[in-house]
Amino acid sequence: MSNKILGLFRSKIYTAIFLLVFLLLIGVVGFKVLSGYTWINALYMTVITITTVGFGEVRPLDEPSKIFTIFLILTSVVIVGYALKVITEYILSQNNIDELKQKKMQKKIDSLSNHIIICGYGRNGKQAATKLIAYKKPFVVIERNKDIIDKYQSEMVPFVHGNANEDEILLQAGIDRASTLISALPNDADNLFVVLSARQINNEMTIISRASQETSYKKLKLAGANNVILPDKIGGDHMASLVVVPDLIEFIDNLSIVGKSNINIEEIPVNKLYDVSQTRTIKDLDLRKKTGCNVIGYKNGDGEYIVNPEAEQQLMPNSKIIVLGRPEQIQKLNSEYNIN
């Protein structure tokens, strides 16, 4: 709807510009032919007549020139008035449309709960948003650069314009209702401040922060971050590993989750697989036979991991299993147990 309105105003503006240029040409040619002015003098007379500034004539006008000038003045009043009206309406409508867009986006954000907040839409923030979109997880981005917001804002990527260091902006993004915060700002000091503020407002949420310097790791942990990621360190380790164990790293890269069509590793809460009031084992589930997926990991309720668990491993409440399989096998698992 807003695009149609803006398109209509643009067409009106183009019409107003065309009429102004046409009027200018008529005036220049008219003064040149009727009064014998030079082109410069004809342009001068046309401009002062259209704009009604009241400067003196180049030389006294004869009667045909006066009649033409009267016609030019009356015509210019209508056309210039129309042009001013269209431009004013366009400016006001643009402001109104931007305001309506922001109100609509804020209404959507206010309806979210258990969502993710991403602070900063740089390289890491975009990667996080792409992964969340692939998994259909609701999220909000806080970004201070208006140009970035104008470029990337959509129904899929809702933005809050402002500084993530400010409590008001965090609250506007719904931090009191959010489940997770990802602080992906380029400056470690800014990330530290965001983590501190977020932890004070919502003590239950999971906080993941980016860090550029290894010295910032402990500080961010002490501030309340559950996880601290050092992208540069991970990148360097990865490149070195490609030299030392290239085939192994290539295999691990193939397990990366980039989207629903390429998923071959997944974590599943145990309570989605069976009624946890009666404890069962991995063997009892028999996922390999039913879906083709292999259980390669187990995480208990205390957050402890067991790699390659035994078939007799009991699946306790609030625990998770990590399964490995081809995309169609993962899809079959999701369908079998109605996992969204």
Side-chain angles (χ1 to χ4, degrees):
M1 182 67 179
S2 59
N3 290 334
K4 289 182 179 179
I5 294 173
L6 289 176
L8 179 62
F9 275 119
R10 287 194 187 101
S11 66
K12 287 184 177 181
I13 288 175
Y14 295 149
T15 302
I17 292 172
F18 171 78
L19 290 174
L20 286 173
V21 173
F22 181 72
L23 183 65
L24 189 66
L25 290 174
I26 291 294
V28 170
V29 172
F31 281 119
K32 172 69 176 175
V33 173
L34 294 174
S35 303
Y37 289 155
T38 63
W39 288 111
I40 294 296
N41 286 338
L43 177 61
Y44 169 77
M45 284 296 298
T46 302
V47 171
I48 66 172
T49 302
I50 291 175
T51 57
T52 65
V53 294
F55 288 163
E57 301 165 352
V58 175
R59 64 171 180 263
L61 299 174
D62 55 18
E63 288 189 1
S65 297
K66 288 179 179 179
I67 294 173
F68 174 74
T69 303
I70 293 171
F71 164 78
L72 192 64
I73 291 172
L74 294 176
T75 307
S76 66
V77 168
V78 176
I79 293 177
V80 173
Y82 173 75
L84 289 174
K85 175 178 174 292
V86 169
I87 292 171
T88 303
E89 285 180 350
Y90 176 76
I91 293 172
L92 293 175
S93 68
Q94 187 121 7
N95 291 336
N96 290 336
I97 289 171
D98 288 342
E99 187 177 343
L100 287 172
K101 281 183 178 179
Q102 186 57 45
K103 285 183 178 179
K104 183 180 178 182
M105 188 63 69
Q106 189 59 50
K107 187 176 180 180
K108 179 181 178 181
I109 293 170
D110 291 341
S111 68
L112 296 177
S113 60
N114 293 321
H115 58 290
I116 298 98
I117 297 175
I118 301 174
C119 300
Y121 204 64
R123 178 169 52 87
N124 297 126
K126 287 177 187 175
Q127 289 173 340
T130 300
K131 182 64 66 68
L132 293 175
I133 290 172
Y135 266 76
K136 297 180 180 179
K137 297 289 186 181
F139 67 91
V140 178
V141 180
I142 298 177
E143 174 58 52
R144 65 191 303 176
N145 190 326
K146 190 66 168 62
D147 292 336
I148 291 178
I149 295 176
D150 292 339
K151 184 176 181 181
Y152 293 105
Q153 182 165 267
S154 66
E155 289 295 324
M156 300 290 289
V157 188
F159 280 90
V160 170
H161 182 216
N163 192 336
N165 290 340
E166 299 176 6
D167 290 354
E168 293 80 5
I169 300 299
L170 290 172
L171 289 169
Q172 192 176 332
I175 192 171
D176 51 330
R177 308 182 307 277
S179 63
T180 307
L181 180 136
I182 300 174
S183 189
L185 301 174
N187 186 284
D188 286 358
D190 290 337
N191 285 318
L192 181 62
F193 200 90
V194 169
V195 170
L196 281 168
S197 300
R199 183 55 73 200
Q200 283 186 332
I201 298 173
N202 188 336
N203 192 43
E204 301 298 323
M205 74 186 314
T206 300
I207 298 178
I208 302 166
S209 178
R210 175 190 186 277
S212 300
Q213 305 295 326
E214 291 188 30
T215 53
S216 302
Y217 183 91
K218 289 184 179 179
K219 295 175 184 177
L220 286 162
K221 278 282 192 178
L222 288 171
N226 299 89
N227 301 97
V228 179
I229 308 300
L230 290 92
D232 294 337
K233 182 179 180 182
I234 293 173
D237 288 346
H238 191 83
M239 287 186 284
S241 298
L242 283 170
V243 176
V244 180
V245 282
D247 294 333
L248 175 60
I249 297 302
E250 184 178 358
F251 175 75
I252 293 173
D253 284 345
N254 287 332
L255 301 183
S256 296
I257 304 169
V258 267
K260 289 292 181 184
S261 61
N262 297 315
I263 296 173
N264 50 20
I265 189 168
E266 182 67 279
E267 65 173 22
I268 310 291
V270 169
N271 60 5
K272 291 188 176 182
L273 299 173
Y274 77 100
D275 183 1
V276 292
S277 61
Q278 297 179 349
T279 304
R280 301 179 67 180
T281 65
I282 293 175
K283 183 179 180 180
D284 294 333
L285 289 179
D286 200 10
L287 294 181
R288 172 66 182 173
K289 183 177 180 180
K290 293 179 180 177
T291 66
C293 296
N294 288 305
V295 179
I296 62 171
Y298 174 74
K299 181 183 179 182
N300 63 26
D302 296 326
E304 297 174 349
Y305 283 93
I306 298 176
V307 178
N308 196 22
E310 300 292 338
E312 301 302 326
Q313 173 66 52
Q314 291 187 331
L315 304 175
M316 308 302 292
N318 300 319
S319 63
K320 295 180 180 180
I321 59 171
I322 313 299
V323 297
L324 177 69
R326 295 191 301 274
E328 63 272 17
Q329 293 171 333
I330 296 292
Q331 183 60 44
K332 186 176 182 181
L333 171 67
N334 292 335
S335 299
E336 181 81 19
Y337 293 95
N338 195 25
I339 300 171
N340 296 322

